[in-house]
Coordinates of all heavy atoms in Angstrom, one line a residue:
A179 N 113.5 121.6 94.3 CA 113.4 121.7 95.8 C 112.4 120.7 96.3 O 111.5 120.2 95.7 CB 113.1 123.1 96.3
C180 N 112.6 120.3 97.6 CA 111.6 119.4 98.3 C 111.2 120.0 99.6 O 112.1 120.4 100.5 CB 112.3 118.1 98.6 SG 111.3 116.9 99.5
L181 N 109.9 120.2 99.8 CA 109.3 120.7 101.1 C 108.7 119.6 101.8 O 107.7 119.1 101.3 CB 108.4 121.9 100.8 CG 109.0 123.4 100.8 CD1 109.9 123.5 99.7 CD2 107.9 124.4 100.8
A182 N 109.2 119.3 103.0 CA 108.7 118.2 103.7 C 108.1 118.6 105.1 O 108.1 119.8 105.4 CB 109.8 117.2 104.0
G183 N 107.5 117.7 105.7 CA 106.9 117.9 107.1 C 107.9 117.8 108.2 O 109.0 118.3 108.2
N184 N 107.5 117.0 109.2 CA 108.4 116.8 110.3 C 109.5 115.9 110.0 O 109.2 114.7 109.6 CB 107.5 116.3 111.5 CG 108.3 116.2 112.8 OD1 109.4 116.1 112.9 ND2 107.5 116.4 113.9
K185 N 110.7 116.2 110.2 CA 111.8 115.4 109.8 C 111.8 114.0 110.7 O 112.3 113.0 110.3 CB 113.1 116.1 110.2 CG 114.4 115.4 109.6 CD 115.6 116.2 109.8 CE 116.8 115.6 109.1 NZ 118.1 116.4 109.2
A186 N 111.2 114.0 111.9 CA 111.2 112.9 112.7 C 110.1 111.9 112.3 O 110.0 110.8 112.8 CB 110.9 113.3 114.2
I187 N 109.2 112.2 111.4 CA 108.1 111.4 110.9 C 108.5 110.6 109.7 O 108.9 111.1 108.7 CB 106.9 112.3 110.6 CG1 106.5 113.1 111.8 CG2 105.8 111.4 110.1 CD1 106.0 112.3 113.0
P188 N 108.5 109.2 109.8 CA 108.9 108.4 108.7 C 108.2 108.7 107.4 O 108.7 108.6 106.3 CB 108.5 107.0 109.2 CG 108.6 107.1 110.7 CD 108.1 108.5 111.0
L189 N 106.9 109.2 107.4 CA 106.1 109.5 106.3 C 106.9 110.6 105.5 O 107.1 110.5 104.2 CB 104.8 110.0 106.6 CG 103.8 110.5 105.6 CD1 102.3 110.2 105.9 CD2 103.9 111.9 105.3
S190 N 107.3 111.7 106.2 CA 108.1 112.7 105.5 C 109.4 112.2 104.9 O 109.8 112.6 103.8 CB 108.3 113.9 106.5 OG 107.1 114.4 107.0
E191 N 110.1 111.4 105.7 CA 111.4 110.9 105.2 C 111.2 110.0 104.0 O 112.1 109.9 103.2 CB 112.1 110.2 106.4 CG 112.7 111.2 107.4 CD 113.7 112.1 106.8 OE1 114.8 111.7 106.6 OE2 113.3 113.3 106.5
D192 N 110.1 109.2 104.0 CA 109.8 108.3 102.9 C 109.6 109.1 101.6 O 110.1 108.7 100.5 CB 108.7 107.4 103.2 CG 109.1 106.2 104.1 OD1 110.3 106.1 104.4 OD2 108.2 105.5 104.6
R193 N 108.8 110.2 101.7 CA 108.6 111.0 100.6 C 109.9 111.7 100.0 O 110.1 111.6 98.8 CB 107.6 112.2 100.9 CG 106.2 111.7 101.1 CD 105.2 112.7 101.4 NE 103.9 112.3 101.7 CZ 102.9 113.1 102.2 NH1 103.1 114.4 102.4 NH2 101.7 112.5 102.4
K194 N 110.7 112.1 101.0 CA 112.0 112.6 100.6 C 112.9 111.5 99.9 O 113.6 111.8 99.0 CB 112.7 113.2 101.8 CG 114.1 113.8 101.5 CD 114.9 114.2 102.7 CE 116.3 114.6 102.4 NZ 117.2 114.8 103.6
A195 N 112.8 110.3 100.4 CA 113.6 109.2 99.8 C 113.2 109.0 98.4 O 114.0 108.7 97.5 CB 113.4 108.0 100.6
G196 N 111.9 109.1 98.1 CA 111.4 109.0 96.7 C 111.9 110.1 95.8 O 112.3 109.9 94.7
Y197 N 111.9 111.3 96.4 CA 112.5 112.4 95.7 C 113.9 112.2 95.3 O 114.4 112.5 94.2 CB 112.3 113.7 96.6 CG 113.2 114.9 96.4 CD1 113.0 115.8 95.4 CD2 114.3 115.1 97.3 CE1 113.8 116.9 95.3 CE2 115.1 116.2 97.1 CZ 114.9 117.1 96.1 OH 115.7 118.2 96.0

Side-chain angles (χ1 to χ4, degrees):
C180 174
L181 268 66
N184 189 334
K185 190 174 184 179
I187 302 297
L189 178 149
S190 297
E191 285 300 279
D192 284 350
R193 288 179 185 174
K194 179 187 173 184
Y197 156 81

